Amino acid sequence: MSGFTLPLRADLVGVRSYGAPQLRGPILLNVNENPFPLPNDVARAMADAVGGLAAGLHRYPERDAVDLRADLARYLERESEVVVDPSRVWAANGSNEVMHHLFLAFGGPGRTAITFDPTYSMYPEYARDTFTRFISFPRRDDFSVDVNQAIAAIEDVRPSMVVLASPNNPTGTALPLDDLSAIAEACMHTGAMTIVDEAYAEFRRAGVPSALALLDHQPNLVVTRTMSKAFGLAGARVGYAVAADPAVVQACQVVRLPYHLSAVTQAVARVALAHAPALQAQVALIRDERDRLAQWLAGEGFDVAASDANFIMFGRFADRHQTWQRLLDEGVLIRETGPQGWLRVSIGTPEENDRFRAALLAATAA
Ligand SMILES: *Cc1c(COP(=O)(O)O)cnc(C)c1O
């Protein structure tokens, strides 16, 4: 390649692509997937649905995923007892793409998005891609958000977007509804969107509400969800958002790429939603396993961040990379993420969690 310098954007030179290591072989407790494969009858129904539409793939898909969005609205009504009109629901290839649409529509040059660290490592990347200035403020030591500090930051920085993950990744922390409401209210005064990323909502502990409950009171609120975690559908790439204002959905329709959601994806997602109880049958078990593992970790003397998600952040290690590597040597892949000294483990099947416990004891034996 004869001395040609790619005219890459200056801010992308030397930047590596995001992603956890994808390895075959070890027990995979690293990217918060649902560890249970889809039940046979659901997998067969998906295959039938895709078979039925395959001959029609010479046509572009239904552009606005109208039927899927109606199914999602019905699902939310059952899951969180909120009534949402499909005109307020948006769907895309994973909630990552939904969030990208939101940054395209509400971020941009000269605008600022803020969040509270430690949190999901993709937020700065959406900001970079959309030329949005990005500022992180620290969370408290218990990984909650100091609401007064947040409100002061919002009034000071005047962002166009405030992004809050709840339950948060990688810490597992759910934010109280009152805190979210106070932050959304401050955003109302300064003209900012409040975006609550609820990728892990279905794993929240009893009594922990969803931000969906605030939608009727906060016209600037958007709640994003995904089928990648509790639904066990990470491979299909389906995420969605519910907005207080249908104009948010219309804005996403402006910035999305044409026919962004394939006919195959829409059909598979609709089958999954029709079988939601079967697909989520293990969610209660995963929650129980999480609480049991958190107790065990604490009993073994580790620091454990309280979790409302399907993973646990624990520590602290003088050399966390060494512990991560030793766990991998023991056949268990977890995630080296979060603040220095901490590691994150996804909740697996009961057998996988046993293997993790044994591996961790071996990895940390003196
Ligand atoms: C896993 C995760 C998502 C989901 O991403 P998809 O694109 O829907 O697979 C979104 N937000 C957070 C914080 C996550 O951890």
Side-chain angles (χ1 to χ4, degrees):
M1 309 284 171
S2 52
F4 180 70
T5 306
L6 291 175
L8 186 61
R9 261 167 55 181
D11 61 318
L12 299 183
V13 173
V15 176
R16 297 282 202 88
S17 71
Y18 168 87
Q22 287 194 303
L23 305 180
R24 282 168 198 273
I27 292 178
L28 301 175
L29 301 178
N30 65 331
V31 287
N32 303 339
E33 293 151 331
N34 187 323
F36 295 97
L38 278 62
N40 276 334
D41 59 326
V42 182
R44 194 173 317 266
M46 285 177 181
D48 289 347
V50 172
L53 65 78
L57 286 175
H58 64 116
R59 300 291 183 197
Y60 282 111
E62 205 283 300
R63 188 168 39 218
D64 294 315
V66 171
D67 292 336
L68 171 59
R69 287 161 56 210
D71 289 353
L72 286 165
R74 272 192 293 274
Y75 164 72
L76 287 171
E77 198 169 328
R78 270 180 281 127
E79 198 271 337
S80 289
E81 288 163 13
V82 292
V83 179
V84 285
D85 189 83
S87 65
R88 291 161 53 190
V89 177
W90 182 237
N93 296 282
S95 56
N96 266 280
E97 189 179 49
V98 169
M99 201 66 87
H100 214 246
H101 290 157
L102 293 170
F103 269 74
L104 284 166
F106 298 103
R111 292 178 159 210
T112 305
I114 71 170
T115 192
F116 299 86
D117 262 341
T119 192
Y120 191 40
S121 42
M122 281 306 297
Y123 301 148
E125 304 215 359
Y126 312 137
R128 177 201 66 204
D129 293 351
T130 58
F131 304 96
T132 308
R133 185 164 154 250
F134 188 78
I135 305 178
S136 267
F137 293 89
R139 287 173 177 248
R140 292 197 187 100
D141 287 345
D142 67 355
F143 309 117
S144 64
V145 171
D146 179 334
V147 173
N148 291 326
Q149 187 215 9
I151 292 171
I154 290 160
E155 287 172 352
D156 180 38
V157 172
R158 304 246 149 195
S160 63
M161 308 172 71
V162 176
V163 183
L164 296 153
S166 179
N168 185 41
N169 180 6
T171 65
T173 322
L175 298 175
L177 220 46
D178 284 350
D179 290 1
L180 287 172
S181 170
I183 291 169
E185 199 56 41
C187 288
M188 280 288 291
H189 291 306
T190 59
M193 297 301 293
T194 309
I195 296 161
V196 181
D197 181 346
E198 288 198 343
Y200 301 98
E202 288 92 346
F203 297 107
R204 65 196 190 270
R205 287 173 287 186
V208 176
S210 160
L212 293 171
L214 297 174
L215 278 171
D216 285 344
H217 316 287
Q218 301 291 168
N220 59 336
L221 182 64
V222 182
V223 180
T224 65
R225 294 261 185 124
T226 182
M227 297 184 78
S228 297
K229 309 284 163 57
F231 266 98
L233 213 61
R237 311 301 301 126
V238 186
Y240 55 103
V242 189
D245 187 341
V248 171
V249 173
Q250 289 154 22
C252 289
Q253 285 169 319
V254 171
V255 297
R256 61 98 185 279
L257 296 174
Y259 309 107
H260 69 293
L261 206 52
S262 87
V264 172
T265 305
Q266 293 184 43
V268 167
R270 294 193 66 204
V271 173
L273 286 160
H275 294 84
L279 286 175
Q280 299 194 3
Q282 320 281 11
V283 166
L285 182 147
I286 292 169
R287 275 201 230 108
D288 289 348
E289 284 285 304
R290 169 198 63 208
D291 295 342
R292 225 159 61 79
L293 183 58
Q295 257 186 2
W296 180 86
L297 284 163
E300 292 294 327
F302 295 100
D303 290 340
V304 181
S307 175
D308 277 285
N310 66 337
F311 56 81
I312 296 173
M313 197 174 78
F314 67 102
R316 291 178 235 175
F317 303 98
D319 183 350
R320 71 166 169 184
H321 182 72
Q322 184 185 59
T323 305
W324 176 86
Q325 182 64 54
R326 284 184 180 166
L327 278 162
L328 186 54
D329 296 342
E330 296 286 333
V332 179
L333 178 63
I334 67 165
R335 190 75 184 272
E336 191 179 348
T337 184
Q340 257 319 314
W342 296 81
L343 292 168
R344 191 194 71 194
V345 61
S346 310
I347 305 304
T349 64
E351 298 72 33
E352 289 172 334
N353 301 330
D354 284 343
R355 285 281 305 273
F356 166 72
R357 279 186 276 265
L360 184 63
L361 290 180
T364 54

